[in-house]
Amino acid sequence: MTRHSLTLIKASVIFACALPFFILVARILGLGSLGANPIQEVLHTLGKTGLNLLLLTLAITPLRKMTGLNWLVTLRRALGVTVFVYILLHAVTYIVLDQRLDWPSLFVDVTQRPFITIGMTALLLLVPLAVTSTNAMQRRLGRRWVKLHRTVYLIGILGVVHFFWQVKVTTFEPLIYTLILIVLLGFRVRDWLARRRRTLAVSKP
């Protein structure tokens, strides 16, 4: 994989990540329909796109190990930052357009509606990951950077639970997301157990 090819791949991935946003903007400008409830449609599109990209980010390591394509790791930062942007826009849409900056109502929603509490928690956890996503911060934090960015697994769980609880009627869609998350986390658990067995084997006299 040459540097030029990798640059083209990264640019293509960033464009693909931004495409749902461009399409949404076009629909807002009247080049498509937002349905009977435009605000909810915007909320749903931004949130679901962010969740899709989050699961794709979690899939990078398993895909790299299964395919041997180590360059896939270089896509994680772009995907992660895009996840943060979509989820942030999702939250801003909720606060500004849905709740119209009604802070007392927002406080009640965040503290008394579990799926909103979980969603806001996931956003807050994404903030330090986005802030520390640069090479400079990675060097400055050292091993702590790795530990910090492992919170993405918790964010993935919170995101899927938020989506699952947000759906008023049980459908197959949130179940599919849950299954995908279980599979992706299962890879991590399997790898952790394998490393632990190797460590125990080495430490035995």
Side-chain angles (χ1 to χ4, degrees), residues 86-133:
Y86 272 106
I87 300 305
L88 180 61
L89 289 174
H90 176 68
V92 170
T93 301
Y94 164 70
I95 293 170
V96 177
L97 298 183
D98 188 58
Q99 294 297 308
R100 299 181 183 277
L101 299 176
D102 185 346
W103 300 112
S105 177
L106 277 167
F107 178 79
V108 171
D109 262 8
V110 172
T111 57
Q112 297 186 15
R113 301 179 70 184
F115 84 93
I116 295 180
T117 305
I118 286 176
M120 287 298 181
T121 302
L123 174 60
L124 291 176
L125 290 174
L126 276 169
V127 172
L129 300 192
V131 171
T132 60
S133 63

Short mmCIF file of all heavy atoms in Angstrom, two decimals, residues 86-133:
data_model
loop_
_atom_site.label_atom_id
_atom_site.label_comp_id
_atom_site.label_asym_id
_atom_site.label_seq_id
_atom_site.Cartn_x
_atom_site.Cartn_y
_atom_site.Cartn_z
N TYR A 86 -21.17 13.76 14.12
CA TYR A 86 -22.58 13.38 13.91
C TYR A 86 -23.35 13.35 15.23
O TYR A 86 -24.49 13.83 15.31
CB TYR A 86 -22.68 12.02 13.23
CG TYR A 86 -22.65 12.09 11.72
CD1 TYR A 86 -21.52 11.70 11.01
CD2 TYR A 86 -23.76 12.54 11.00
CE1 TYR A 86 -21.49 11.76 9.62
CE2 TYR A 86 -23.73 12.61 9.62
CZ TYR A 86 -22.60 12.23 8.92
OH TYR A 86 -22.57 12.30 7.55
N ILE A 87 -22.75 12.78 16.27
CA ILE A 87 -23.44 12.71 17.55
C ILE A 87 -23.61 14.09 18.16
O ILE A 87 -24.64 14.39 18.78
CB ILE A 87 -22.68 11.77 18.52
CG1 ILE A 87 -22.60 10.36 17.93
CG2 ILE A 87 -23.38 11.73 19.88
CD1 ILE A 87 -23.92 9.75 17.57
N LEU A 88 -22.61 14.95 17.98
CA LEU A 88 -22.73 16.33 18.47
C LEU A 88 -23.86 17.06 17.74
O LEU A 88 -24.67 17.75 18.38
CB LEU A 88 -21.40 17.06 18.27
CG LEU A 88 -21.37 18.52 18.72
CD1 LEU A 88 -21.64 18.63 20.22
CD2 LEU A 88 -20.03 19.17 18.38
N LEU A 89 -23.93 16.91 16.42
CA LEU A 89 -25.01 17.53 15.66
C LEU A 89 -26.37 16.95 16.07
O LEU A 89 -27.37 17.68 16.10
CB LEU A 89 -24.78 17.32 14.16
CG LEU A 89 -23.63 18.10 13.54
CD1 LEU A 89 -23.43 17.67 12.08
CD2 LEU A 89 -23.88 19.60 13.62
N HIS A 90 -26.40 15.67 16.36
CA HIS A 90 -27.61 15.02 16.85
C HIS A 90 -28.08 15.68 18.15
O HIS A 90 -29.27 16.02 18.31
CB HIS A 90 -27.31 13.53 17.08
CG HIS A 90 -28.43 12.75 17.67
ND1 HIS A 90 -29.61 12.47 17.01
CD2 HIS A 90 -28.54 12.13 18.88
CE1 HIS A 90 -30.40 11.74 17.77
NE2 HIS A 90 -29.77 11.52 18.92
N ALA A 91 -27.13 15.91 19.07
CA ALA A 91 -27.47 16.54 20.35
C ALA A 91 -27.87 17.99 20.17
O ALA A 91 -28.83 18.46 20.80
CB ALA A 91 -26.27 16.43 21.31
N VAL A 92 -27.16 18.72 19.31
CA VAL A 92 -27.49 20.13 19.06
C VAL A 92 -28.88 20.26 18.45
O VAL A 92 -29.66 21.15 18.81
CB VAL A 92 -26.43 20.78 18.15
CG1 VAL A 92 -26.88 22.15 17.69
CG2 VAL A 92 -25.09 20.89 18.89
N THR A 93 -29.21 19.37 17.53
CA THR A 93 -30.54 19.37 16.93
C THR A 93 -31.62 19.16 17.98
O THR A 93 -32.66 19.83 17.98
CB THR A 93 -30.65 18.28 15.85
OG1 THR A 93 -29.67 18.51 14.84
CG2 THR A 93 -32.04 18.28 15.21
N TYR A 94 -31.35 18.22 18.89
CA TYR A 94 -32.31 17.95 19.97
C TYR A 94 -32.47 19.17 20.88
O TYR A 94 -33.59 19.56 21.22
CB TYR A 94 -31.83 16.74 20.77
CG TYR A 94 -32.51 16.58 22.11
CD1 TYR A 94 -33.84 16.21 22.19
CD2 TYR A 94 -31.82 16.83 23.29
CE1 TYR A 94 -34.48 16.08 23.41
CE2 TYR A 94 -32.45 16.70 24.52
CZ TYR A 94 -33.77 16.33 24.59
OH TYR A 94 -34.38 16.23 25.80
N ILE A 95 -31.35 19.78 21.25
CA ILE A 95 -31.39 20.89 22.20
C ILE A 95 -31.99 22.15 21.57
O ILE A 95 -32.84 22.81 22.18
CB ILE A 95 -29.97 21.20 22.73
CG1 ILE A 95 -29.46 20.03 23.58
CG2 ILE A 95 -29.95 22.49 23.55
CD1 ILE A 95 -27.98 20.12 23.93
N VAL A 96 -31.57 22.46 20.34
CA VAL A 96 -31.97 23.72 19.73
C VAL A 96 -33.31 23.64 19.00
O VAL A 96 -34.19 24.49 19.18
CB VAL A 96 -30.88 24.21 18.74
CG1 VAL A 96 -31.32 25.49 18.03
CG2 VAL A 96 -29.57 24.44 19.49
N LEU A 97 -33.49 22.61 18.17
CA LEU A 97 -34.70 22.53 17.35
C LEU A 97 -35.84 21.79 18.04
O LEU A 97 -37.00 22.23 17.96
CB LEU A 97 -34.37 21.83 16.02
CG LEU A 97 -33.35 22.54 15.13
CD1 LEU A 97 -33.17 21.77 13.82
CD2 LEU A 97 -33.77 23.98 14.85
N ASP A 98 -35.52 20.68 18.70
CA ASP A 98 -36.58 19.90 19.33
C ASP A 98 -37.05 20.53 20.64
O ASP A 98 -38.24 20.68 20.87
CB ASP A 98 -36.10 18.47 19.57
CG ASP A 98 -37.22 17.56 20.04
OD1 ASP A 98 -38.22 17.43 19.32
OD2 ASP A 98 -37.10 16.97 21.15
N GLN A 99 -36.09 20.91 21.50
CA GLN A 99 -36.44 21.48 22.80
C GLN A 99 -36.43 23.01 22.81
O GLN A 99 -36.84 23.61 23.80
CB GLN A 99 -35.46 20.96 23.86
CG GLN A 99 -35.55 19.47 24.12
CD GLN A 99 -36.90 19.07 24.67
OE1 GLN A 99 -37.39 19.64 25.65
NE2 GLN A 99 -37.54 18.09 24.04
N ARG A 100 -35.96 23.62 21.73
CA ARG A 100 -35.96 25.08 21.57
C ARG A 100 -35.29 25.78 22.76
O ARG A 100 -35.78 26.80 23.26
CB ARG A 100 -37.38 25.60 21.37
CG ARG A 100 -38.06 25.04 20.14
CD ARG A 100 -39.46 25.59 19.95
NE ARG A 100 -40.11 24.98 18.82
CZ ARG A 100 -39.97 25.37 17.55
NH1 ARG A 100 -39.17 26.39 17.28
NH2 ARG A 100 -40.61 24.76 16.58
N LEU A 101 -34.18 25.22 23.21
CA LEU A 101 -33.37 25.80 24.29
C LEU A 101 -34.19 26.00 25.57
O LEU A 101 -33.90 26.91 26.37
CB LEU A 101 -32.74 27.12 23.86
CG LEU A 101 -31.78 27.05 22.66
CD1 LEU A 101 -31.31 28.45 22.27
CD2 LEU A 101 -30.58 26.17 22.99
N ASP A 102 -35.16 25.14 25.77
CA ASP A 102 -35.96 25.18 27.00
C ASP A 102 -35.19 24.40 28.07
O ASP A 102 -35.37 23.20 28.24
CB ASP A 102 -37.33 24.55 26.76
CG ASP A 102 -38.25 24.67 27.96
OD1 ASP A 102 -37.77 25.00 29.06
OD2 ASP A 102 -39.47 24.42 27.80
N TRP A 103 -34.31 25.12 28.81
CA TRP A 103 -33.39 24.45 29.73
C TRP A 103 -34.08 23.69 30.86
O TRP A 103 -33.63 22.58 31.20
CB TRP A 103 -32.40 25.47 30.30
CG TRP A 103 -31.60 26.13 29.21
CD1 TRP A 103 -31.67 27.44 28.82
CD2 TRP A 103 -30.65 25.51 28.34
NE1 TRP A 103 -30.83 27.68 27.76
CE2 TRP A 103 -30.18 26.51 27.45
CE3 TRP A 103 -30.15 24.22 28.23
CZ2 TRP A 103 -29.24 26.25 26.46
CZ3 TRP A 103 -29.21 23.95 27.24
CH2 TRP A 103 -28.76 24.96 26.37
N PRO A 104 -35.15 24.20 31.47
CA PRO A 104 -35.85 23.40 32.49
C PRO A 104 -36.38 22.08 31.91
O PRO A 104 -36.27 21.03 32.55
CB PRO A 104 -37.00 24.31 32.94
CG PRO A 104 -36.49 25.70 32.67
CD PRO A 104 -35.71 25.58 31.40
N SER A 105 -36.96 22.14 30.70
CA SER A 105 -37.46 20.92 30.07
C SER A 105 -36.31 19.98 29.72
O SER A 105 -36.43 18.75 29.87
CB SER A 105 -38.24 21.28 28.80
OG SER A 105 -38.68 20.12 28.12
N LEU A 106 -35.20 20.55 29.27
CA LEU A 106 -34.03 19.73 28.96
C LEU A 106 -33.52 19.02 30.20
O LEU A 106 -33.16 17.84 30.15
CB LEU A 106 -32.92 20.62 28.38
CG LEU A 106 -32.99 20.94 26.90
CD1 LEU A 106 -32.04 22.07 26.54
CD2 LEU A 106 -32.66 19.69 26.08
N PHE A 107 -33.49 19.74 31.32
CA PHE A 107 -33.02 19.14 32.56
C PHE A 107 -33.90 17.96 32.96
O PHE A 107 -33.39 16.90 33.37
CB PHE A 107 -33.01 20.19 33.68
CG PHE A 107 -32.57 19.65 35.01
CD1 PHE A 107 -31.21 19.46 35.27
CD2 PHE A 107 -33.50 19.32 35.99
CE1 PHE A 107 -30.80 18.95 36.51
CE2 PHE A 107 -33.10 18.81 37.21
CZ PHE A 107 -31.74 18.62 37.47
N VAL A 108 -35.21 18.13 32.82
CA VAL A 108 -36.13 17.04 33.16
C VAL A 108 -35.90 15.85 32.23
O VAL A 108 -35.86 14.70 32.67
CB VAL A 108 -37.59 17.53 33.06
CG1 VAL A 108 -38.56 16.35 33.20
CG2 VAL A 108 -37.88 18.56 34.14
N ASP A 109 -35.74 16.13 30.94
CA ASP A 109 -35.52 15.06 29.97
C ASP A 109 -34.25 14.27 30.28
O ASP A 109 -34.25 13.04 30.31
CB ASP A 109 -35.42 15.64 28.55
CG ASP A 109 -36.74 15.55 27.81
OD1 ASP A 109 -37.75 15.18 28.44
OD2 ASP A 109 -36.77 15.84 26.60
N VAL A 110 -33.16 15.00 30.50
CA VAL A 110 -31.86 14.34 30.70
C VAL A 110 -31.82 13.56 32.00
O VAL A 110 -31.19 12.51 32.08
CB VAL A 110 -30.73 15.40 30.68
CG1 VAL A 110 -29.39 14.78 31.07
CG2 VAL A 110 -30.62 16.02 29.29
N THR A 111 -32.51 14.04 33.02
CA THR A 111 -32.46 13.39 34.33
C THR A 111 -33.55 12.33 34.54
O THR A 111 -33.38 11.44 35.38
CB THR A 111 -32.57 14.43 35.46
OG1 THR A 111 -33.78 15.19 35.30
CG2 THR A 111 -31.38 15.36 35.45
N GLN A 112 -34.63 12.41 33.78
CA GLN A 112 -35.75 11.51 34.05
C GLN A 112 -36.11 10.57 32.89
O GLN A 112 -36.93 9.68 33.06
CB GLN A 112 -36.99 12.32 34.45
CG GLN A 112 -36.80 13.12 35.73
CD GLN A 112 -38.08 13.81 36.19
OE1 GLN A 112 -39.18 13.49 35.72
NE2 GLN A 112 -37.95 14.76 37.10
N ARG A 113 -35.50 10.77 31.73
CA ARG A 113 -35.77 9.87 30.60
C ARG A 113 -34.48 9.10 30.33
O ARG A 113 -33.51 9.65 29.79
CB ARG A 113 -36.21 10.66 29.37
CG ARG A 113 -37.48 11.47 29.60
CD ARG A 113 -37.88 12.24 28.37
NE ARG A 113 -38.37 11.37 27.31
CZ ARG A 113 -38.71 11.80 26.09
NH1 ARG A 113 -38.57 13.08 25.79
NH2 ARG A 113 -39.14 10.96 25.18
N PRO A 114 -34.44 7.82 30.72
CA PRO A 114 -33.19 7.05 30.68
C PRO A 114 -32.49 7.04 29.34
O PRO A 114 -31.26 7.15 29.28
CB PRO A 114 -33.65 5.64 31.09
CG PRO A 114 -34.86 5.87 31.92
CD PRO A 114 -35.55 7.05 31.31
N PHE A 115 -33.23 6.94 28.23
CA PHE A 115 -32.55 6.84 26.94
C PHE A 115 -31.86 8.15 26.58
O PHE A 115 -30.81 8.15 25.92
CB PHE A 115 -33.52 6.39 25.84
CG PHE A 115 -34.34 7.48 25.20
CD1 PHE A 115 -33.88 8.10 24.04
CD2 PHE A 115 -35.55 7.85 25.72
CE1 PHE A 115 -34.63 9.09 23.42
CE2 PHE A 115 -36.31 8.83 25.11
CZ PHE A 115 -35.85 9.46 23.95
N ILE A 116 -32.39 9.29 27.05
CA ILE A 116 -31.72 10.57 26.82
C ILE A 116 -30.52 10.72 27.75
O ILE A 116 -29.47 11.21 27.34
CB ILE A 116 -32.71 11.73 27.00
CG1 ILE A 116 -33.80 11.67 25.91
CG2 ILE A 116 -31.98 13.08 26.94
CD1 ILE A 116 -34.83 12.76 25.98
N THR A 117 -30.66 10.26 28.98
CA THR A 117 -29.54 10.27 29.92
C THR A 117 -28.36 9.48 29.36
O THR A 117 -27.21 9.94 29.38
CB THR A 117 -29.96 9.66 31.27
OG1 THR A 117 -31.11 10.34 31.77
CG2 THR A 117 -28.83 9.75 32.29
N ILE A 118 -28.65 8.31 28.81
CA ILE A 118 -27.61 7.46 28.24
C ILE A 118 -26.99 8.12 27.01
O ILE A 118 -25.76 8.10 26.81
CB ILE A 118 -28.18 6.08 27.89
CG1 ILE A 118 -28.41 5.28 29.17
CG2 ILE A 118 -27.26 5.32 26.94
CD1 ILE A 118 -29.06 3.94 28.94
N GLY A 119 -27.81 8.73 26.17
CA GLY A 119 -27.31 9.40 24.98
C GLY A 119 -26.37 10.55 25.32
O GLY A 119 -25.30 10.71 24.72
N MET A 120 -26.76 11.36 26.30
CA MET A 120 -25.92 12.48 26.72
C MET A 120 -24.62 11.99 27.36
O MET A 120 -23.55 12.59 27.18
CB MET A 120 -26.68 13.38 27.70
CG MET A 120 -27.75 14.22 27.05
SD MET A 120 -27.04 15.38 25.83
CE MET A 120 -28.53 16.22 25.27
N THR A 121 -24.71 10.89 28.09
CA THR A 121 -23.51 10.31 28.70
C THR A 121 -22.53 9.86 27.61
O THR A 121 -21.32 10.09 27.71
CB THR A 121 -23.88 9.11 29.59
OG1 THR A 121 -24.78 9.54 30.61
CG2 THR A 121 -22.63 8.52 30.24
N ALA A 122 -23.06 9.23 26.57
CA ALA A 122 -22.20 8.79 25.46
C ALA A 122 -21.52 9.99 24.80
O ALA A 122 -20.33 9.93 24.46
CB ALA A 122 -23.03 8.02 24.44
N LEU A 123 -22.26 11.08 24.61
CA LEU A 123 -21.68 12.28 24.00
C LEU A 123 -20.56 12.84 24.87
O LEU A 123 -19.48 13.19 24.37
CB LEU A 123 -22.76 13.34 23.80
CG LEU A 123 -22.26 14.72 23.31
CD1 LEU A 123 -21.56 14.59 21.96
CD2 LEU A 123 -23.42 15.70 23.22
N LEU A 124 -20.79 12.90 26.17
CA LEU A 124 -19.76 13.43 27.08
C LEU A 124 -18.51 12.56 27.06
O LEU A 124 -17.39 13.08 27.15
CB LEU A 124 -20.32 13.52 28.51
CG LEU A 124 -21.41 14.58 28.74
CD1 LEU A 124 -21.95 14.48 30.16
CD2 LEU A 124 -20.86 15.97 28.47
N LEU A 125 -18.68 11.26 26.93
CA LEU A 125 -17.53 10.36 26.87
C LEU A 125 -16.78 10.50 25.54
O LEU A 125 -15.57 10.23 25.47
CB LEU A 125 -17.98 8.91 27.06
CG LEU A 125 -18.47 8.54 28.47
CD1 LEU A 125 -19.02 7.12 28.47
CD2 LEU A 125 -17.34 8.68 29.49
N LEU A 126 -17.50 10.91 24.50
CA LEU A 126 -16.86 11.10 23.20
C LEU A 126 -15.97 12.34 23.16
O LEU A 126 -15.01 12.39 22.39
CB LEU A 126 -17.92 11.22 22.10
CG LEU A 126 -18.47 9.92 21.51
CD1 LEU A 126 -19.68 10.23 20.64
CD2 LEU A 126 -17.40 9.20 20.69
N VAL A 127 -16.28 13.33 23.99
CA VAL A 127 -15.53 14.59 23.96
C VAL A 127 -14.04 14.39 24.20
O VAL A 127 -13.21 14.84 23.39
CB VAL A 127 -16.13 15.61 24.95
CG1 VAL A 127 -15.23 16.84 25.06
CG2 VAL A 127 -17.53 16.02 24.53
N PRO A 128 -13.62 13.72 25.30
CA PRO A 128 -12.17 13.54 25.49
C PRO A 128 -11.52 12.69 24.41
O PRO A 128 -10.34 12.89 24.10
CB PRO A 128 -12.08 12.86 26.87
CG PRO A 128 -13.43 12.28 27.12
CD PRO A 128 -14.39 13.19 26.43
N LEU A 129 -12.26 11.77 23.81
CA LEU A 129 -11.69 10.97 22.72
C LEU A 129 -11.42 11.85 21.50
O LEU A 129 -10.39 11.70 20.84
CB LEU A 129 -12.63 9.83 22.34
CG LEU A 129 -12.97 8.81 23.43
CD1 LEU A 129 -13.66 7.60 22.82
CD2 LEU A 129 -11.73 8.37 24.19
N ALA A 130 -12.34 12.75 21.20
CA ALA A 130 -12.15 13.66 20.06
C ALA A 130 -11.00 14.63 20.32
O ALA A 130 -10.18 14.89 19.44
CB ALA A 130 -13.44 14.43 19.78
N VAL A 131 -10.93 15.15 21.55
CA VAL A 131 -9.90 16.12 21.90
C VAL A 131 -8.51 15.50 21.84
O VAL A 131 -7.53 16.16 21.47
CB VAL A 131 -10.18 16.71 23.30
CG1 VAL A 131 -9.00 17.56 23.78
CG2 VAL A 131 -11.45 17.55 23.28
N THR A 132 -8.41 14.22 22.21
CA THR A 132 -7.10 13.56 22.28
C THR A 132 -6.82 12.69 21.06
O THR A 132 -6.01 11.77 21.13
CB THR A 132 -7.00 12.70 23.55
OG1 THR A 132 -8.04 11.68 23.53
CG2 THR A 132 -7.16 13.54 24.80
N SER A 133 -7.47 12.97 19.94
CA SER A 133 -7.32 12.11 18.77
C SER A 133 -6.10 12.46 17.91
O SER A 133 -5.81 11.76 16.94
CB SER A 133 -8.59 12.18 17.90
OG SER A 133 -8.79 13.50 17.42
#
